[in-house]
Amino acid sequence: MKIRILFVCLGNICRSPAAEGILKAMVEEKGLQDDFYIDSAGIGNWHVGDLPDRRMRHHGMLHGYDFASRARQVCSADFERFDLIIVMDDDNYYDIKRFATMPGDMDKVHLIHEYFIRYKGRQYVPDPYYGDDSDFELAINLLEDACQGIIEEVVGR
Ligand code: 4NP
């Protein structure tokens, strides 16, 4: 059985598509791609159909990634379709509640900081959208750390 993981941020053009691309690359590198189904979505619908923000694509490329997913909005069916829904900050955690329809839906939702290893102690992945190069770099560093933590947790189960 595949473990199905959905990353969620506000717009689905910066943090969550980067998380999706990083985790996909890491599981492929470990030959675990058949054990995972990985996707991302946004709380808002402003960017539906768009590629990730070009600044995130650029910084991803500097780290050897190709972030090429298309943005979509989160939906109630995602709570059935995924085993684990990982949000980037407390606002995402609060906002995704309005898409939950069944008792237990929110049990699947986890905050990204639960998976930090080197960055243990940080509480969220800051939104780089209104930031500069250093904010995009920080997002990628935090997400690489969390994705390593996710693999360790899931594979260790
Ligand atoms: P993300 O960043 O949640 O990491 O994708 C954002 C992208 C777009 C907007 C907000 C955050 N926006 O307001 O359009």
Side-chain angles (χ1 to χ4, degrees), residues 31-52:
L32 296 171
Q33 61 277 3
D34 294 339
D35 298 330
F36 286 79
Y37 177 76
I38 303 158
D39 194 12
S40 66
I43 298 290
N45 63 2
W46 317 286
H47 298 285
V48 168
D50 292 353
L51 283 168

Side-chain angles (χ1 to χ4, degrees), residues 3-130:
I3 172 121
R4 303 163 300 172
I5 299 175
L6 180 69
F7 291 104
V8 172
C9 63
L10 182 57
N12 194 211
I13 55 166
C14 294
R15 295 165 293 173
S16 63
E20 174 189 345
I22 290 167
L23 186 59
K24 280 180 173 168
M26 285 185 176
V27 303
E28 268 172 39
E29 194 190 304
K30 293 176 188 296
L32 296 171
Q33 61 277 3
D34 294 339
D35 298 330
F36 286 79
Y37 177 76
I38 303 158
D39 194 12
S40 66
I43 298 290
N45 63 2
W46 317 286
H47 298 285
V48 168
D50 292 353
L51 283 168
D53 184 285
R54 76 179 159 69
R55 296 165 296 171
M56 187 50 100
R57 299 194 73 195
H58 170 71
H59 284 275
M61 223 112 67
L62 298 179
H63 290 257
Y65 303 108
D66 179 20
F67 301 145
S69 57
R70 293 283 176 173
R72 72 171 178 89
Q73 190 175 27
V74 86
C75 62
S76 297
D78 285 328
F79 289 93
E80 279 173 58
R81 290 191 199 127
F82 292 90
D83 305 303
L84 196 52
I85 298 174
I86 301 174
V87 300
M88 299 294 144
D89 59 34
D90 290 339
D91 287 342
N92 301 158
Y93 189 87
Y94 179 80
D95 290 338
I96 203 173
K97 287 181 187 167
R98 74 181 149 93
F99 296 93
T101 55
M102 304 293 283
D105 274 357
M106 284 303 290
D107 295 348
K108 292 186 170 182
V109 182
H110 290 257
L111 285 153
I112 191 97
H113 77 74
E114 296 171 36
Y115 304 97
F116 287 154
I117 303 171
R118 284 182 294 124
Y119 287 101
K120 201 169 273 303
R122 290 215 182 221
Q123 294 302 310
Y124 57 94
V125 177
D127 189 349
Y129 190 65
Y130 295 104

